[in-house]
Amino acid sequence: MIGYMKPILGNQPGKKKMRRTYRIIYCSLCRCLRAEYGIRGVVALNYELVSLVLMSLALQEDEPQEEWHSCSIMPYLFVKTFNYSLPVFKKAACLSILTVWGELKDNYRDGQKFRNKAMLWLFDVPKQKAVLFWPDLYYGFSNRLMQYYLLEDTSNSYLDIMSAYDEFLSFSVGYLLNENTNGFVTENYLMLGRMLGRWIYYMDAIEDYEKDMRKKGFNPFLLENAPKGNEIVEEVNELLMHIVSQVKRLPVRRYRNLLEEICIAGLEKRTKMVLGKSTWIKNEQIVENYIRR
C-alpha cells in the first residue's frame, strides 16, 4: 500500500516553493531513518508518512529550523532538512519501519513466502530498535494490526474489516500529533488521516482485485456487504469529496497550497489513473463521470 501519495507536482515554476518544502520534509525523514535505524531504515521511507509529517508540521505553532546535513544515500552531497530530532520525525520514522514490517507480514501471509521471509529477516534489526525506542507505538500498532489480520482470517463482513482498519488508522495517525494540540484540531486531523488511509486502502484493493480473485486471496471488495462495480466508484468519489472538504477545514498555519496539491489534486489524478486501468470496472464512462476534475 506504499506509494499512492507520491506527489505529482510537475515542473511548473509556480510550484517551485512547494517542491522545495516537500523535498526538505522528505530528506528530514530520510535522515532520521538513517540516524535511528541505519541504512536498512532508509528503505522504509515512504510518501504516505512524508504526507502525514507535512500535515502535522502544518498544524504546529512554530516552523522547524532548516539545517544542512549529508545525504543518507550519498554522504558527499549535502541537503537541506528540518531538525530531524523532533518527535514528529522520530515517530514517523518508527511508523515507517512498522509499516514496511506490516506490509512484509501481509505479503508473507498471502503466500509470497521465500522473498518476504528474507526481507523480514533483514528488517528484524530495525524492528527491534523500533520496539526499544517507541514501545507504546510498537505494541499499539502491532496489536491493532494483528486484530485486523485476525478478522481477515475469520470474518467475511466488509463492515467489520473496515471498522478494524479505521481503528488501526486512528491509532497510527494520531501518534504523530503534538500532545498539546487542542481537541478541535486533533479531531479534524484524525478524520483526515483516516480518510486518506481508507483511500490508500481502496486504491490498493482496486489494483489487486483481479489478482486476488484469481489466486483466491483476501480483498475487501470480495466480502459480504462490500460495494460492487459502480458502487465502488461512487464510494471512492464520495470519499474524495469528504477529503477535499476536510483539507479545506483543517486549521493549518502553513503549507496549505502544498497540502491541497497532494491531498486534493494529487489524489484525484491518482484515482483516475487507478480506476482507468482497472479492467474489471467495465464502464470507463462511469469513471469519467464520477472522478472530480
Side-chain angles (χ1 to χ4, degrees):
M1 296 185 192
I2 298 172
Y4 288 105
M5 291 192 72
K6 181 178 180 180
I8 308 173
L9 296 176
N11 294 315
Q12 297 93 326
K15 295 182 180 180
K16 183 177 180 180
K17 185 176 180 181
M18 286 191 281
R19 289 196 299 270
R20 177 183 179 277
T21 299
Y22 188 88
R23 172 57 60 180
I24 289 175
I25 296 173
Y26 182 95
C27 289
S28 301
L29 182 55
C30 184
R31 281 297 306 160
C32 188
L33 280 162
R34 178 62 189 263
E36 297 278 295
Y37 301 99
I39 193 64
R40 294 181 191 178
V42 177
V43 179
L45 183 63
N46 69 78
Y47 296 105
E48 285 70 27
L49 265 299
V50 175
S51 298
L52 287 178
V53 171
L54 169 65
M55 285 169 52
S56 182
L57 292 176
L59 295 169
Q60 293 183 13
E61 186 171 344
D62 300 317
E63 187 172 12
Q65 182 179 354
E66 293 184 9
E67 302 174 347
W68 285 96
H69 291 280
S70 61
C71 175
S72 300
I73 304 299
M74 295 180 285
Y76 50 86
L77 290 180
F78 281 80
V79 296
K80 262 192 177 177
T81 73
F82 288 136
N83 176 8
Y84 59 81
S85 64
L86 292 173
V88 65
F89 288 110
K90 291 193 172 187
K91 291 176 182 179
C94 181
L95 271 175
S96 298
I97 297 294
L98 297 179
T99 298
V100 172
W101 173 70
E103 188 84 1
L104 292 171
K105 292 275 285 187
D106 187 43
N107 291 340
Y108 183 81
R109 284 161 38 86
D110 285 346
Q112 302 173 31
K113 300 294 185 181
F114 179 78
R115 177 179 178 274
N116 286 285
K117 185 174 183 179
M119 290 296 293
L120 281 167
W121 177 79
L122 286 173
F123 251 79
D124 187 61
V125 172
K127 190 205 77 169
Q128 293 303 327
K129 287 184 177 179
V131 178
L132 179 65
F133 295 156
W134 298 95
D136 291 345
L137 176 54
Y138 167 75
Y139 288 112
F141 181 98
S142 59
N143 287 342
R144 286 165 176 80
L145 185 62
M146 291 306 110
Q147 289 171 10
Y148 169 79
Y149 284 157
L150 179 63
L151 279 175
E152 272 196 6
D153 293 336
T154 60
S155 175
N156 198 35
S157 168
Y158 174 80
L159 296 178
D160 287 350
I161 291 291
M162 295 314 301
S163 177
Y165 187 68
D166 284 343
E167 172 66 22
F168 168 72
L169 286 172
S170 294
F171 173 82
S172 303
V173 172
Y175 215 90
L176 293 182
L177 264 186
N178 190 311
E179 294 177 357
N180 299 322
T181 307
N182 69 54
F184 173 77
V185 174
T186 298
E187 182 180 352
N188 280 272
Y189 172 88
L190 289 176
M191 180 69 73
L192 179 56
R194 283 196 297 268
M195 289 177 181
L196 292 172
R198 185 173 278 218
W199 174 84
I200 294 166
Y201 190 76
Y202 282 174
M203 293 300 101
D204 187 64
I206 289 170
E207 287 206 306
D208 288 349
Y209 183 89
E210 290 179 297
K211 180 194 72 175
D212 292 334
M213 213 174 153
R214 185 172 64 253
K215 295 185 176 181
K216 303 189 184 311
F218 173 83
N219 191 293
F221 294 131
L222 294 171
L223 299 175
E224 292 179 1
N225 304 318
K228 305 295 181 185
N230 300 347
E231 295 174 344
I232 296 173
V233 181
E234 293 176 0
E235 188 158 330
V236 169
N237 184 65
E238 184 178 354
L239 180 60
L240 282 175
M241 289 191 292
H242 285 307
I243 289 173
V244 170
S245 174
Q246 202 64 33
V247 169
K248 292 186 179 296
R249 290 182 59 199
L250 200 65
V252 300
R253 298 174 183 271
R254 60 189 68 84
Y255 311 146
R256 178 169 292 280
N257 289 342
L258 179 55
L259 272 173
E260 291 185 358
E261 188 67 32
I262 293 174
C263 298
I264 297 178
L267 263 61
E268 290 169 357
K269 291 175 185 175
R270 191 75 63 182
T271 301
K272 189 172 181 179
M273 289 166 56
V274 170
L275 291 178
K277 67 180 182 181
S278 299
T279 56
W280 62 279
I281 298 179
K282 300 293 185 182
N283 192 342
E284 293 186 6
Q285 185 61 43
I286 292 176
V287 174
E288 293 291 334
N289 289 341
Y290 279 100
I291 299 306
R292 289 172 51 89
R293 295 180 182 276

